[in-house]
Amino acid sequence: MDTPDVGIPRPLAERLSLAEQYEYLRGRMVRRRTLVTAGAVAGGLLTGCGTASGARPGPAGSATSRVPGSAVAPFGRHLAFGSDPRTRMRISWQVPFAVKRPYVRVGARPDDLGRRVPAEIRPLRTPGVEGVRPALEQYYAHASVDGLAPGTTYYYGVGHDGWEPTAPAHRAAIASFRTAPARPERFVFTAFGDQGVGRAAHANDDLVLRQKPAFHLHAGDICYADVSGTGRTTDGYDPAFWDLFLKQNEPVARSVPWMVTTGNHDMEAWYSPDGYGGQLARFSLPETGFDPHGTPGAYAFTYGNAGFVALDANDVSYEIPANLGLSHGRQTAWLDRTLRRLRAADGIDFVVVFFHHCAYSTSRHASDGGVRREWLPLFSKHRVDLVINGHNHVYERTDAIKDGAVGRAVPVGGSTDPGRDGTVYITAGGGGRDLYGFPPGVKDSYEGHVTRHRAVETFAWTKGGDRVPETVEWSRVRYTGFSLLSVEVRAGAAPRLAVSALGQDGRRIDHFEVRHGG
């Protein structure tokens, strides 16, 4: 059987826009579904596919195929830290068909990948909708690479039976990553949310690479295969978007750990009652949360002198209540324990929390009262240094907020001490999806002064989906272009977070510092 590869030939890809690449890929996926699902499945050629309702990860090597392994090219490589970024890395990728015995080869040099680590296949089946989309099988491979040395660059290649990454024809695909140093004096991380697929999303990936970050935080709404974002099976959905998303992000995510959390558009209700079966199939994230197999977007890790906590805000959102109360309070209790542990840990100067729905924003979705009620008291109690959100497709940064009000004005170029002043909240939703604006009459603002500035009329969501008007003075900087955060973390005698917001052209649109005792 002559089955087409889902990849785009390099000469053609260089001539096509991302939108054109999507249409090309979509056409090939339709042809692949026709050949595979109509013929191979009927003949018993593919096994181990997830069910329409469950699609939880299957056992390692459960998916098999009679498509020759030499014809199945891996794509969409993406990294994530294991529970200890100094010694553990998770390597993930996609294959267009089920394969036998997937693996990673790892070594200290690109010409010596002597260590072979087996991978598991997590098959994912999206049921078809008559007249809308056919069923689609997707296959994701994951390898846990442990026992690494801190602060070391490793090279790797991915393969399976019939596809050897060290073969001359495949060596150009060998990539690298670097483990966290034991005690870095300085490192950079980047962050944004609401990315999707397209020219702006691709351009932000390029901007991420130029910052040379140790890792990237993605604050949710990753791909937008689900275009509605309500967490219901009635949402419009095209799973083939994930194929193009992973291909789009591979140039950065194959070398920079991509630490994602869960947005409302990531609740894909076709896979499981909570909608997280797709995320569990596609990503391997640190199993350091309260329920890593049920709420994958909630976890924590440390890198150098900073602790990072990812949260699933769908669990507490009043605005989009599909998963409201999903954890029955267990996520919030875990957050309390985790922040307490990080604050008590030797060598941890800073705690950064990231999640999707906004605690403080004046743009389209405004502020979520559920987030405020459940989590803000804990951020104050444990003196969280920085909170990063997405959801609103803008850049907006608050002053330091303490007890619901401005604790200290933080102008562009200013500094703040969370223990004294409160926490700064950033909406970093300019990752690539169509941009939003601000309330009528409110323009982009660069507030470089510390005196009283113009109040903004906005609202917050209450339980039951009502909007309560608010007049706020905490909105310090607003920007409606595509953007990302670049944060330099320094250790030593005077530790600090130097936070910069960059427009897509690399221009710095905001900056401030977080210091203790400053």
Side-chain angles (χ1 to χ4, degrees):
M1 181 175 62
D2 181 18
T3 47
D5 184 274
V6 297
I8 301 175
R10 185 180 299 275
L12 179 60
E14 291 174 349
R15 297 197 303 269
L16 298 180
S17 69
L18 278 171
E20 292 167 335
Q21 289 183 43
Y22 172 71
E23 291 304 319
Y24 177 93
L25 179 64
R26 185 182 177 87
R28 301 201 78 172
M29 291 299 294
V30 169
R31 291 200 300 278
R32 173 165 76 87
R33 286 193 290 263
T34 300
L35 288 167
V36 174
T37 61
V41 172
L45 301 184
L46 296 179
T47 62
C49 295
T51 63
S53 61
R56 292 303 198 197
S62 64
T64 61
S65 172
R66 291 184 185 173
V67 177
S70 59
V72 182
F75 69 97
R77 290 167 294 174
H78 50 289
L79 305 178
F81 292 129
S83 57
D84 186 348
R86 297 170 299 180
T87 60
R88 298 182 176 185
M89 190 67 72
R90 302 295 176 253
I91 301 175
S92 305
W93 66 98
Q94 188 173 351
V95 285
F97 300 99
V99 297
K100 294 181 180 179
R101 287 178 285 274
Y103 62 89
V104 171
R105 286 199 179 275
V106 182
R109 301 193 312 272
D111 59 350
D112 183 17
L113 306 184
R115 181 181 175 188
R116 177 169 167 151
V117 180
E120 64 168 319
I121 287 286
R122 300 180 190 170
L124 185 68
R125 183 180 189 273
T126 306
V129 177
E130 186 175 357
V132 177
R133 65 168 190 262
L136 176 63
E137 289 82 23
Q138 294 166 304
Y139 303 91
Y140 301 96
H142 302 268
S144 299
V145 184
D146 298 334
L148 302 170
T152 303
T153 297
Y154 289 91
Y155 296 86
Y156 74 93
V158 302
H160 50 262
D161 279 8
W163 187 279
E164 172 54 56
T166 60
H170 304 150
R171 285 178 182 168
I174 291 173
S176 66
F177 62 82
R178 186 169 178 81
T179 55
R183 289 183 294 275
E185 289 298 312
R186 172 195 175 275
F187 66 92
V188 171
F189 72 88
T190 52
F192 59 57
D194 307 86
Q195 186 181 14
V197 176
R199 285 192 178 90
H202 187 269
N204 259 12
D205 281 349
D206 290 341
L207 185 58
V208 167
L209 278 177
R210 294 203 296 273
Q211 309 315 304
K212 299 180 179 179
F215 54 91
H216 177 74
L217 306 181
H218 197 306
D221 280 7
I222 303 167
C223 169
Y224 287 89
D226 178 327
V227 295
S228 304
T230 67
R232 300 187 177 94
T233 54
T234 52
D235 287 0
Y237 185 66
D238 186 345
F241 258 89
W242 279 104
D243 298 25
L244 190 54
F245 176 84
L246 291 175
K247 289 175 71 71
Q248 167 190 271
N249 280 24
E250 185 172 16
V252 55
R254 68 188 177 192
S255 296
V256 177
W258 209 252
M259 310 305 292
V260 306
T261 189
T262 314
N264 58 293
H265 285 270
D266 307 317
M267 293 187 291
E268 299 170 328
W270 299 268
Y271 303 124
S272 52
D274 53 31
Y276 295 158
Q279 193 170 29
L280 284 162
R282 297 183 187 103
F283 295 93
S284 282
L285 297 165
E287 292 193 346
T288 52
F290 70 98
D291 186 8
H293 300 291
T295 310
Y299 57 90
F301 66 95
T302 60
Y303 192 106
N305 63 327
F308 296 84
V309 182
L311 297 173
D312 176 9
N314 294 309
D315 183 26
V316 299
S317 173
Y318 287 166
E319 178 196 6
I320 302 171
N323 277 353
L324 178 61
L326 176 67
S327 78
H328 303 287
R330 290 183 300 130
Q331 181 177 204
T332 299
W334 170 82
L335 173 64
D336 191 11
R337 296 193 303 271
T338 301
L339 293 177
R340 181 183 302 111
R341 173 179 59 80
L342 289 172
R343 273 292 167 232
D346 291 337
I348 298 295
D349 295 311
F350 300 107
V351 175
V352 176
V353 178
F354 67 107
F355 53 91
H356 186 63
H357 304 60
C358 295
Y360 292 101
S361 181
T362 64
S363 188
R364 180 184 300 182
H365 293 291
S367 307
D368 198 302
V371 169
R372 290 183 178 180
R373 182 180 185 276
E374 297 296 330
W375 293 343
L376 265 58
L378 299 182
F379 299 161
S380 176
K381 173 183 175 182
H382 299 291
R383 305 183 312 282
V384 168
D385 296 286
L386 183 66
V387 173
I388 300 170
N389 302 139
H391 202 38
N392 284 300
H393 302 182
V394 296
Y395 174 81
E396 185 170 19
R397 196 257 294 170
T398 71
D399 287 318
I401 297 179
K402 188 172 186 178
D403 299 326
V406 175
R408 179 183 177 91
V410 185
V412 174
S415 65
T416 181
D417 176 356
R420 177 192 64 205
D421 308 324
T423 302
V424 172
Y425 294 79
I426 294 179
T427 300
R433 192 65 174 177
D434 294 346
L435 294 166
Y436 294 171
F438 290 99
V442 177
K443 299 179 180 179
D444 287 9
S445 174
Y446 300 96
E447 299 283 1
H449 52 78
V450 296
T451 57
R452 183 184 179 94
H453 57 283
R454 180 181 176 183
V456 176
E457 299 296 327
T458 182
F459 66 92
W461 293 94
T462 64
K463 196 168 187 178
D466 294 326
R467 305 182 183 192
V468 174
E470 292 185 332
T471 301
V472 304
E473 295 187 354
W474 39 252
S475 179
R476 173 60 61 173
V477 181
R478 299 179 292 275
Y479 177 72
T480 54
F482 297 110
S483 60
L484 59 77
L485 287 183
S486 179
V487 182
E488 180 187 55
V489 185
R490 287 195 174 271
R496 68 180 185 271
L497 298 179
V499 184
S500 295
L502 306 178
Q504 202 163 76
D505 59 1
R507 176 173 54 97
R508 190 164 68 171
I509 57 177
D510 183 25
H511 63 103
F512 68 98
E513 287 193 350
V514 177
R515 305 172 181 171
H516 292 167

